[in-house]
Amino acid sequence: MGRWRLLWQRWSCRNPPVRKPHAFHYRHASSFPLPRQPLPLLAETMARYLRSLEPLVSPEELEQTEQLVAEFQAPDGEGDRLQERLQRRAARMENWITDWWVQSAYLESRLPLAVHSSPAVVLPKQDFNDWKGQLRFAAKLIAGMLDFKAKIDYQTLLVEYSRGYPLCMEQYSRLFASCRLPGPKHDSVLLPPPGQRPATYVTVVRNFQFFQLDVYNSDGTPLTIDQIHWQLQQIRAQSWKTDKEPLGVLTSDHRHTWGKAYTTLMRDKLNRESARAIQRSLFTVCLDSPVLKVSDTRAASRLAAQMLHGGGSFSNSGNRWFDKTLQFIIGEDGSFGVLYEQAIAEGPPVATIIDHVLDYCKNPVQVRAPLIPLQSPKKLYFCFTSEIKRDIEHAKQNLDILITDLDINCFTYPGFGKDLLKRHKLSPDSVLQVALQLAYYRAHGELCPTAESASLRRFHRGRTETIRSATSASLAFVKGMDDDSCQDPERLSLLKQAVEVHSTLTEQALNGQGIDRHLLGLKLEAIADGFRVPDLFMDTSYAVSSYWKLFTGQVAARTDCVMCYGPVVPDGYGVCYNPLPSHINFSVTAFNCCQETNAEHLAGCIQQALDDVGALLGNGRDGSQEEQP
Ligand code: COA
């Protein structure tokens, strides 16, 4: 018996066999037959739509919209005809709205992915402070990701539940080896072709240089942490800072501009092969260079900026490929975060992956490295013509302007967390949404159209619905809070009514009975069939009520992190939160070019609103309980 064979046998005895990934990687982790997403009744959507307008439009505008709604849903009118067509669509498709939603919300949007679209997850600082720790952590992270991927490949990923319902798990498999592709009019999504084995490598980027790192041995077993670490050291040795072009910033540009630059880039064979390698890789790991230190109070917001956009063309933005679905960002100072592109998936599956990977990093599976020679990581070269260099210069300027314009404020509210609200028999999410209404009202003297994302994963291929959180009940509450003649018992009762109304809207949205996807479906059905767009959608109330000045969302994770994204309108805010048992993490963003908005001011108003809500519930600012429910 040869020496290699003997060593192999010894190694195999110490290490449990790992099944080789097979060709059917991307079957659903869930074999649950989930229900199809229902199509709401036209009359119910219309009634809910009119109710949602009450706190936002003038009585005259509301009257005009009531008239339009009456015409729209007149017997045998436009509404009936479009609803009938939607019913037929719902009968023949797996999900009647998901493809249209992804197309209109993401792929047709021409705004840059950076700041405007892709959310970032800001994670706690890790326990290292130099490049050695950075590489060691990156190795564990990659191993943790492969461990999670094995659960998908071997269909051992447990089905998730929310409020007692099993959730669609399809998004998990699509997070790996996928990428958004820019197009001149609209983008598309690159996924591994069904039945074909996806990539077996990840992309690593450092000092603007991209590498293809194989993460499976030739026998199909995943590389061990030590093997990955060894490979990362080789990448570091080959990626010293030179005057490299920050090619990655091209992907941060306006989609039309990037679409044109992409066509130029892909004309060259070398560029085509390198770009395809990045697009098809399982995910990207960005090894960021050190960034300027800031005061402790600004540290969380600075970290959020690094994760969201990379800090600018002179900082780490060239270490990103914004089109890539999953990018893990690791700094030398222990900073860690994730940036993801959301045409493929929403935040909750990403948060679950992060929880898994961080658990894995704390207790990694120690496997002895097999004695199989490893291929060196492959550097991905690009050919920079003068045209491409000019495109990069433009993209750098645009990104730096966008970054200067972004105002970010991340903070932890320490007064209470979801446990206190649960003890009061209130939905924590609904209380936070009502508190956000109070904060905005105090900052701007009125309520504004507010969107909160609710998951539709109870249904096969479901994505999200919008909860319209500005309601007549929340308006009554916020007015009561700042009305001196209103006493605390009455304010508490108004708070509970507002929370109750929000909880009802949440339940409707989660059950596929929300307003916004149905309205979108009716409008797109008219366009698809070449009909005139109904007057209802040309009405001021429709435009005003879906101009999301407050774009909000809860992305809950066990990890002490928060998600962060930019506002969706120039004079609005992006607000995201993670309610943990005894505190809540928030991120607030706004644009500096807008005189009226200010992230720090809104953040202060949110903290004050939560203090006031806590006080109504008998909770001191320090978390002390004056009165038990
Ligand atoms: N009394 C006591 N406890 C209550 C309660 C009440 N009246 N109402 C809710 N709770 C409990 C729940 O049981 C839950 O308990 P758990 O922590 O043990 O699980 C907890 O409070 C949280 O519930 P709640 O705050 O009501 O909401 P939720 O966690 O169900 O979240 C949504 C609501 C809408 C945010 C969530 O369903 C969802 O859709 N999330 C995805 C959002 C998304 O896709 N975002 C993407 C943005 S990129």
Side-chain angles (χ1 to χ4, degrees), residues 15-83:
N15 297 278
V18 184
R19 274 186 291 162
K20 207 168 175 166
H22 51 70
F24 301 104
H25 270 205
Y26 289 94
R27 268 196 275 147
H28 287 196
S30 156
S31 49
F32 271 68
L34 288 176
R36 282 182 175 207
Q37 187 172 324
L39 180 66
L41 296 175
L42 186 63
E44 286 191 353
T45 296
M46 290 301 125
R48 287 172 187 153
Y49 172 55
L50 288 175
R51 222 169 300 136
S52 78
L53 300 179
E54 286 167 9
L56 300 172
V57 302
S58 67
E60 297 75 40
E61 284 168 333
L62 186 59
E63 202 177 313
Q64 190 194 323
T65 309
E66 281 167 348
Q67 178 77 32
L68 290 174
V69 164
E71 285 165 19
F72 184 71
Q73 57 176 353
D76 294 329
E78 267 175 321
D80 273 356
R81 196 175 60 225
L82 295 173
Q83 177 76 357

Side-chain angles (χ1 to χ4, degrees), residues 163 340 347-348 418 422 425-429 452-455 464 506 510 554-555:
R163 299 186 173 200
Y340 75 94
K418 65 176 176 175
K422 279 158 70 170
K425 303 271 178 286
L426 295 169
S427 151
D429 185 68
E452 182 195 1
S453 304
S455 174
T464 57
T506 303
L510 294 172
Q554 174 190 145
V555 178

Side-chain angles (χ1 to χ4, degrees), residues 184 268 493 607 612:
D268 179 272
S493 154
Q607 304 198 34
D612 293 352

Side-chain angles (χ1 to χ4, degrees), residues 374-501:
L374 290 177
Q375 269 191 5
S376 292
K378 183 176 157 198
K379 189 162 181 169
L380 300 171
Y381 290 96
F382 288 89
C383 164
F384 295 97
T385 60
S386 56
E387 210 178 345
I388 296 171
K389 283 185 184 167
R390 205 189 47 225
D391 288 338
I392 294 176
E393 274 317 303
H394 283 154
K396 277 162 67 175
Q397 282 170 18
N398 289 342
L399 181 63
D400 290 340
I401 292 169
L402 179 60
I403 287 174
T404 315
D405 197 18
L406 187 70
D407 180 13
I408 307 182
N409 194 292
C410 287
F411 66 95
T412 293
Y413 178 73
F416 57 83
K418 65 176 176 175
D419 280 358
L420 174 98
L421 303 170
K422 279 158 70 170
R423 285 202 298 277
H424 280 274
K425 303 271 178 286
L426 295 169
S427 151
D429 185 68
S430 296
V431 174
L432 295 181
Q433 283 292 327
V434 172
L436 287 181
Q437 294 298 305
L438 179 57
Y440 187 92
Y441 185 81
R442 283 175 173 167
H444 295 278
E446 59 180 6
L447 291 194
C448 72
T450 308
E452 182 195 1
S453 304
S455 174
L456 285 171
R457 286 174 59 210
R458 275 182 199 180
F459 306 106
H460 181 51
R461 295 196 59 224
R463 295 295 298 260
T464 57
E465 175 56 278
T466 301
I467 304 168
R468 295 186 168 207
S469 295
T471 61
S472 298
S474 59
L475 183 60
F477 165 67
V478 302
K479 284 188 169 164
M481 284 303 279
D482 288 349
D483 176 356
D484 291 340
S485 67
C486 191
Q487 299 301 305
D488 277 357
E490 196 186 336
R491 287 174 176 162
L492 182 60
S493 154
L494 290 171
L495 169 70
K496 289 187 172 169
Q497 284 169 39
V499 167
E500 184 69 36
V501 169

